[in-house]
Amino acid sequence: MPGEPQLYGLPAGEARKRVGDLRQLARIDEVSETQGPARGARRITLHSGGGLSVDLLPDRALDIGAVSYRGVPIAWHSPTGFVAPALAVNAGTEWLRSFGGGLLATCGLDAYGPASRDDGVDYPMHGRVGTVPAHVTRAQVTDEALVVEGEVRQATVFGENLLLRRRITVPLGSGTILVDDTVTNESSADAGHMVLYHANIGWPLLDEGATLRIPSHAVSPRDAAAEQGMADWFDLQPPTPGYAEQVFKHDFSGGGLAEVSVDNPAQDTRLALRFDTEGLPALHQWKMLGDGHYVLGLEPTNVDWSRGRAAAAAENALPRIAPGTSVSYHLEFHLSGSRSTTPGTEGSSQ
């Protein structure tokens, strides 16, 4: 984070002279939910001092819930809300009954995609980690950033023991969220490892006047429904009754730090998602433009796979982590004013 952070047009040091407490400008709030299906769950809210507000969900793998930038909501929220983990069921497709959306829902750590059964073990849709509470080890405002760290362990007797260490950093005065994850296999056997970062963009950032840019090497449809939409995979239509979801798979392998974006000139708001393609060589685009379910998923993943854990294992496509070793992932969410001059165009290098 080069240079002194800026707070409302002034260097942070100068801004501090004008307040009695930095919390007037930037702070971390910790609360517990009191109503509905979220009752009892923790929520940590970060205010950057630069127009960015971020809700973290410690009881859902320290994922990211509601986000706003200069008053504009960024993330889609599902009808279920952010359900407390005690009400979540890890079986079959029950994930859909507690998937609240939000800017980041982590899927994994040993499976994602459709539910399947592999070697006598049932793997629910999109895995189990998203309903595992985190042990929060740090929540601190420094001279440069707001930092929250935590540990999330997905484990069972006679099975996997995967530890996710997560650090979320919001530079002071910025519109940026940095996510750094390390997954360690703490069992005595190799562990299958699949992870997908389910980032969910909603209205008003997402609308028919916004520009979607995914400069991948190649794009392919997940299934027959997506094949029908290949000609306009990048087009962001208004909500459509009866819309059938489409998923497109984008190859980013060997591309260094990749960037995809949604730019809305009408809202003067742009979201850029950057991710390290060394660990996350693919991105799945979830296009779901129905009434109420009006959402664009931008989903970096460690394996370009969409048919579940069992099929990945059967076809030798399942990544594995050796005992005692780790893999790391890095994502960045950058919110800023719009840069778009031609709404409705796309910029894929396919």
Side-chain angles (χ1 to χ4, degrees):
M1 289 173 245
E4 187 174 5
Q6 298 286 307
L7 288 167
Y8 299 97
L10 288 178
E14 285 298 314
R16 284 177 181 270
K17 298 176 183 178
R18 290 160 168 80
V19 298
D21 187 334
L22 183 62
R23 286 176 54 83
Q24 179 176 326
L25 308 176
R27 67 185 188 275
I28 297 176
D29 296 331
E30 300 186 47
V31 302
S32 294
E33 304 289 355
T34 61
Q35 298 293 333
R39 184 174 182 269
R42 297 168 292 170
R43 174 161 49 90
I44 301 176
T45 302
L46 286 65
H47 302 278
S48 75
L52 177 66
S53 177
V54 180
D55 281 356
L56 304 183
L57 308 174
D59 291 315
R60 299 191 66 88
L62 201 58
D63 277 339
I64 304 174
V67 172
S68 65
Y69 179 66
R70 299 188 306 191
V72 178
I74 302 302
W76 175 72
H77 293 209
S78 87
T80 73
F82 299 109
V83 177
L87 297 180
V89 177
N90 287 315
T93 61
E94 290 296 295
W95 181 84
L96 293 169
R97 294 191 176 274
S98 61
F99 168 46
L103 188 64
L104 179 61
T106 307
C107 302
L109 293 168
D110 54 1
Y112 72 77
S116 65
R117 184 174 179 84
D118 180 34
D119 197 22
V121 178
D122 290 319
Y123 294 90
M125 182 179 187
H126 281 331
R128 295 180 168 86
V129 74
T131 57
V132 179
H135 178 71
V136 177
T137 57
R138 181 185 182 192
Q140 181 182 13
V141 180
T142 74
D143 288 340
E144 294 186 337
L146 297 82
V147 184
V148 177
E149 297 178 351
E151 296 183 349
V152 183
R153 186 179 298 275
Q154 181 188 322
T156 185
V157 177
F158 307 133
E160 81 275 8
N161 185 5
L162 296 169
L163 178 63
L164 166 64
R165 292 186 175 92
R166 170 165 287 178
R167 181 173 70 247
I168 295 178
T169 305
V170 173
L172 205 64
S174 78
T176 294
I177 308 165
L178 309 176
V179 180
D180 289 283
D181 283 355
T182 299
V183 179
T184 302
N185 178 9
E186 295 197 345
S187 75
S188 59
D190 281 3
H193 170 52
M194 299 173 71
V195 65
L196 178 138
Y197 292 94
H198 210 296
N200 306 288
I201 315 305
W203 187 83
L205 176 59
L206 172 67
D207 76 5
E208 58 267 36
T211 302
L212 171 64
R213 184 173 185 270
I214 305 180
S216 54
H217 306 318
V219 58
S220 60
R222 181 187 67 177
D223 51 25
E227 285 180 4
Q228 295 179 6
M230 271 297 295
D232 60 354
W233 63 261
F234 53 85
D235 189 28
L236 301 177
Q237 305 101 318
T240 304
Y243 191 94
E245 67 175 1
Q246 299 175 354
V247 175
F248 305 97
K249 303 193 297 178
H250 293 265
D251 175 20
F252 277 95
S253 56
L257 189 66
E259 178 179 295
V260 301
S261 62
V262 177
D263 195 329
N264 188 325
Q267 298 292 337
D268 189 24
T269 303
R270 178 178 188 266
L271 170 68
L273 168 58
R274 299 173 188 165
F275 55 97
D276 185 354
T277 63
E278 181 176 353
L280 300 168
L283 177 137
H284 292 178
Q285 173 199 350
W286 178 42
K287 187 177 179 182
M288 180 60 237
L289 304 182
D291 286 355
H293 293 80
Y294 188 64
V295 53
L296 174 69
L298 300 175
E299 306 165 3
T301 175
N302 73 327
V303 55
D304 193 3
W305 193 261
S306 59
R307 292 190 284 120
R309 159 79 182 229
E315 299 189 26
N316 296 317
L318 178 66
R320 294 188 177 276
I321 310 177
T325 62
S326 303
V327 291
S328 295
Y329 305 106
H330 177 75
L331 301 96
E332 305 176 3
F333 297 90
H334 294 272
L335 285 148
S336 64
S338 175
R339 300 181 191 174
S340 186
T341 56
T342 311
T345 60
E346 53 84 22
S348 173
S349 58
Q350 59 167 312

